[in-house]
Amino acid sequence: MTIPLRSPRHLRIAAHAELISLTVMLANVFTIHLKPISSVMGPTHGCAYLFVVIATWRLKPAPAVSIAALVPGVGGLLALRLLDRSDPAVGQEI
């Protein structure tokens, strides 16, 4: 019997922060375009994106998970989904 691999909590938080920051940033650009919001959300999204990519790669998952983490905006959530479905014994998807 294998225990399903649960993704780390810090990766879940960063993946959601990446998506939320991108949504806020795009909503700001397409509506009122306030400079202070852009100047805060841009670096926030960039840091969350880098954190997701590095945290995913440090887990040494299957190659598909590492590649999914590279997709901006939703890559963290895709990687989380693939991590939750993978078999830790062989490192491959079920």
Side-chain angles (χ1 to χ4, degrees), residues 28-91:
N28 181 48
V29 167
F30 290 120
T31 57
I32 53 179
H33 195 54
L34 294 173
K35 296 286 183 187
I37 293 176
S38 298
S39 67
V40 169
M41 286 295 119
T44 302
H45 174 68
C47 288
Y49 173 75
L50 289 175
F51 188 90
V52 164
V53 170
I54 293 169
T56 302
W57 286 359
R58 288 190 62 172
L59 294 173
K60 296 179 178 41
V65 179
S66 297
I67 293 170
L70 294 173
V71 178
V74 296
L77 295 176
L78 291 174
L80 286 171
R81 176 173 276 196
L82 291 173
L83 279 173
D84 288 343
R85 290 184 177 183
S86 67
D87 182 5
V90 294

